[in-house]
């Protein structure tokens, strides 16, 4: 999760988020090179007192500074398009999780299991423990197996919401009367936090999302304990 005075992105907890971080750094490096070159040229122009009557036109340099930006855009567009297609792919999901946004809490259904559903509310501030995070922890966490492709189906029961986990690179709008889907895979155990990122009303900022990533055996034991 984001820590105090953290200036960078959250550590990636999924392959897609790791690729998004790499793309972010790749784009920033290109921008840094462009800014450095432009600043150098502007500084040179300010301090250069030389003039030449033969430099009235320069077709070579005009051709160069027309083609160079196009090549730079290709280096940005290709990995961007690759990531967009990867984020839309649904790779034979091991299980399906349905998230329904309400004013102002989330409810979840494990579609592959019988009667496995629950509501998830933010823990009130007066009930928080020293080990819980204020405004981020919920009374019922989503338990998911790591290293397994998960299909997420998102909708809303009343107004627009948005199911977002930054460390997974997942942000899906919850629209009433519509099912949106995405997929992700968690690559390490731990607890992941997110929030509704759509301005959905007065308690918009009190709809946290908490995922507990566990091993497959632990997940099976958790499902069995709820079924008993």
């Amino acid at each position: 999760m984001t820590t105090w005075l953290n200036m960078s992105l959250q550590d990636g907890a999924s392959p897609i988020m790791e690729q998004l971080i790499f793309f972010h750094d790749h784009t920033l490096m290109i921008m840094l090179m462009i800014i450095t070159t432009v600043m150098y040229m502007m500084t040179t122009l300010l301090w250069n007192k030389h003039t030449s009557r033969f430099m009235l036109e320069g077709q070579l340099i005009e051709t160069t500074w027309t083609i160079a930006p196009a090549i730079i855009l290709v280096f940005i567009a290709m990995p961007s398009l690759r990531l967009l297609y990867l984020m839309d792919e649904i790779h034979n999901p091991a299980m399906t999780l349905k998230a329904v946004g309400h004013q102002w809490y989330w409810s979840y259904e494990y579609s592959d299991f019988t009667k496995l559903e629950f509501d998830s509310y933010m823990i009130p501030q007066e009930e928080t423990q020293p080990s819980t995070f204020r405004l981020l922890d919920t009374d019922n966490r989503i338990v998911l197996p790591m290293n397994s492709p998960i299909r997420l189906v998102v909708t809303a029961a009343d107004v627009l919401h948005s199911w977002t986990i930054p460390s997974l690179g997942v942000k899906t709008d919850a629209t009433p009367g519509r099912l949106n889907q995405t997929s992700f895979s968690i690559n390490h155990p731990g607890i992941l936090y997110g929030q509704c990122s759509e301005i959905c009303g007065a308690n918009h900022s009190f709809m946290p999302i908490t995922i507990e990533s566990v091993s497959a055996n632990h997940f099976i034991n958790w499902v069995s304990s709820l079924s008993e």
Side-chain angles (χ1 to χ4, degrees):
M1 62 179 291
T2 302
T3 54
W4 182 250
L5 294 179
N6 185 13
M7 298 296 291
S8 59
L9 298 172
Q10 295 186 27
D11 293 336
S14 69
I16 289 294
M17 188 58 194
E18 290 177 351
Q19 291 293 316
L20 285 170
I21 293 173
F22 291 150
F23 175 66
H24 170 267
D25 297 341
H26 166 76
T27 308
L28 279 188
M29 185 57 64
I30 292 176
M31 292 175 60
L32 179 62
M33 290 189 294
I34 293 172
I35 292 171
T36 304
T37 304
V38 172
M39 291 299 295
Y40 171 76
M41 294 175 67
M42 290 177 64
T43 306
T44 304
L45 287 172
L46 286 174
W47 294 102
N48 187 2
K49 303 299 183 183
H50 301 291
T51 56
S52 174
R53 63 189 179 90
F54 298 107
M55 289 297 293
L56 298 178
E57 65 176 27
Q59 293 184 358
L60 178 60
I61 192 171
E62 289 176 1
T63 304
T64 303
W65 72 42
T66 302
I67 295 176
I71 296 174
I72 292 171
L73 287 175
V74 169
F75 277 97
I76 296 175
M78 294 307 292
S80 174
L81 289 172
R82 171 179 166 271
L83 269 175
L84 282 174
Y85 279 102
L86 283 175
M87 292 170 71
D88 267 346
E89 285 290 331
I90 307 293
H91 300 285
N92 297 324
M95 60 171 291
T96 300
L97 174 70
K98 183 180 180 181
V100 183
H102 302 268
Q103 288 182 319
W104 284 274
Y105 64 95
W106 294 97
S107 61
Y108 299 99
E109 303 173 13
Y110 288 75
S111 305
D112 303 286
F113 304 96
T114 305
K115 295 182 180 179
L116 183 50
E117 56 186 50
F118 54 84
D119 296 331
S120 182
Y121 291 86
M122 183 190 74
I123 298 178
Q125 185 172 345
E126 58 272 11
E127 297 179 14
T128 55
Q129 303 295 324
S131 60
T132 60
F133 290 99
R134 175 178 172 269
L135 303 182
L136 285 177
D137 264 305
T138 57
D139 55 354
N140 291 314
R141 292 174 174 173
I142 311 164
V143 180
L144 294 175
M146 65 178 185
N147 296 325
S148 301
I150 309 295
R151 174 170 53 197
L152 175 70
V153 179
V154 183
T155 187
D158 34 52
V159 298
L160 291 173
H161 300 282
S162 187
W163 199 90
T164 306
I165 300 288
S167 58
L168 291 178
V170 175
K171 183 181 185 299
T172 306
D173 288 340
T175 308
R178 179 184 176 90
L179 290 176
N180 291 328
Q181 72 171 1
T182 186
S183 67
F184 58 87
S185 176
I186 309 173
N187 55 17
H188 62 74
I191 300 176
L192 312 175
Y193 295 97
Q195 290 175 303
C196 173
S197 57
E198 186 77 42
I199 300 177
C200 57
N203 292 329
H204 147 72
S205 55
F206 302 102
M207 290 182 63
I209 304 163
T210 309
I211 294 180
E212 185 173 349
S213 173
V214 298
S215 64
N217 290 334
H218 192 288
F219 176 75
I220 293 171
N221 293 334
W222 176 77
V223 171
S224 301
S225 65
L226 293 180
S227 303
E228 293 175 355

